[in-house]
Amino acid sequence: DIQMTQSPSTLSASVGDRVTITCRASQSIGALLAWYQQKPGKAPKLLISKASNLDSGVPARFSGSGSGTEFTLTISSLQPDDFATYYCQQCNTYPITFGQGTRLDIK
Amino acid sequence: EVQLVESGGGMVQPGGSLRLSCAASGFTFSERIMDWVRQAPGKGLEWVGRIRDKANRYTTEYAASVRGRFTISRDDSKNSLFLQMNSLNTEDTAVYYCAKDSGSGKYFDYWGQGALVTVSS
């Protein structure tokens, strides 16, 4: 199975900050990576597919990059609505696997 | 508007069975691969399995943790997805989400609200 490791597990930041979350795959997955945002008690929401493609309606302050085994999700200027947990997911092979999540807290 | 609505969750004893349903609307259900993803309380996301469409012979894939115990099926005439769960154990306690495959990769562009399954004696 492909293991997905996110860092950090928890991140404290302030409104307006630029933040970056890293996701590493245990083997190369090309650009077959997705990012999701999840708020407490809610279903995950797709943010980015194929490493860097912003889903429809997702604000442009979100961006994704990377290929192979290392990927990043960047939020250029944090807004109050962005405080949530973020998951990466590899879309390359079965079983589909997720990172353990990164909780983004208000500092 | 795409909608996915799960039902059938509840409490069941270890060793028991439960069947979840997911009612889909707002898209051509019969043409889409559908998945189940679960989330144990306070934990991360775990993919459970998927079922492909008629064009791909309704073939399925499962996570090792559920293979042989869980069965995914669908009824395209009713725009419905199912998850039959047998031999449940406490580690299966989770919110179960049905999710729609994007159609252009193994990622999920729409999710249901989730159904809570609690396995406890």
Side-chain angles (χ1 to χ4, degrees), chain A residues 34 36 38 42-44 46 49-50 87 89 91-92 94-96 98, chain B residues 37 39 43-45 47 50 52 61 97 104 106-109 111-112:
Chain A
Y36 301 88
Q38 186 180 34
K42 300 295 186 182
L46 177 66
S49 63
K50 296 181 181 177
Y87 293 93
Q89 176 226 324
C91 316
N92 187 53
Y94 296 110
I96 293 167
F98 292 87
Chain B
V37 178
Q39 186 170 36
K43 303 297 184 181
L45 300 168
W47 175 75
R50 68 174 18 188
R52 296 181 180 87
E61 306 282 350
Y97 296 101
S104 59
K106 301 180 187 71
Y107 58 92
F108 316 116
D109 54 1
W111 299 62

Side-chain angles (χ1 to χ4, degrees), chain B residues 6-114:
Chain B
E6 299 94 338
S7 60
M11 183 173 288
V12 61
Q13 292 188 335
S17 298
L18 205 61
R19 189 192 196 208
L20 300 182
S21 300
C22 173
S25 60
F27 63 102
T28 307
F29 178 79
S30 62
E31 296 179 355
R32 281 289 174 257
I33 294 169
M34 297 294 295
D35 292 68
W36 289 96
V37 178
R38 69 184 179 181
Q39 186 170 36
K43 303 297 184 181
L45 300 168
E46 180 187 16
W47 175 75
V48 171
R50 68 174 18 188
I51 185 165
R52 296 181 180 87
D53 56 358
K54 182 179 181 179
N56 290 285
R57 303 185 178 185
Y58 300 123
T59 51
T60 53
E61 306 282 350
Y62 295 97
S65 59
V66 306
R67 191 177 298 125
R69 300 188 300 123
F70 289 13
T71 302
I72 299 173
S73 60
R74 63 193 295 165
D75 184 340
D76 289 347
S77 69
K78 296 181 179 179
N79 288 347
S80 294
L81 176 71
F82 305 102
L83 179 65
Q84 177 67 43
M85 302 181 289
N86 299 331
S87 302
L88 286 160
N89 57 60
T90 56
E91 294 178 346
D92 296 316
T93 293
V95 173
Y96 285 74
Y97 296 101
C98 69
K100 172 183 167 290
D101 182 272
S102 67
S104 59
K106 301 180 187 71
Y107 58 92
F108 316 116
D109 54 1
Y110 290 94
W111 299 62
Q113 86 286 353

Side-chain angles (χ1 to χ4, degrees), chain A residues 7 19-24 33 35 48 51-52 63-67 70-75:
Chain A
S7 60
V19 299
T20 297
I21 299 169
T22 299
C23 177
R24 290 185 173 87
L33 183 104
W35 289 96
I48 288 170
S52 61
S63 63
S65 65
S67 66
E70 187 154 337
F71 303 85
T72 58
L73 171 70
T74 298
I75 309 172

Side-chain angles (χ1 to χ4, degrees), chain A:
Chain A
D1 298 3
I2 297 177
Q3 308 301 317
M4 306 301 293
T5 304
Q6 291 180 229
S7 60
S9 294
T10 306
L11 178 58
S12 295
S14 302
V15 172
D17 284 354
R18 177 185 179 91
V19 299
T20 297
I21 299 169
T22 299
C23 177
R24 290 185 173 87
S26 60
Q27 64 189 74
S28 178
I29 57 172
L32 297 178
L33 183 104
W35 289 96
Y36 301 88
Q37 177 193 66
Q38 186 180 34
K39 296 181 179 179
K42 300 295 186 182
K45 172 189 173 184
L46 177 66
L47 295 176
I48 288 170
S49 63
K50 296 181 181 177
S52 61
N53 293 350
L54 213 60
D55 196 42
S56 175
V58 175
R61 62 182 180 273
F62 290 90
S63 63
S65 65
S67 66
T69 62
E70 187 154 337
F71 303 85
T72 58
L73 171 70
T74 298
I75 309 172
S76 60
S77 178
L78 273 174
Q79 298 303 301
D81 191 51
D82 300 337
F83 292 96
T85 300
Y86 293 85
Y87 293 93
C88 62
Q89 176 226 324
Q90 65 85 11
C91 316
N92 187 53
T93 58
Y94 296 110
I96 293 167
T97 48
F98 292 87
Q100 81 278 15
T102 294
R103 194 179 78 211
L104 179 52
D105 291 338
I106 300 174
K107 184 184 287 185

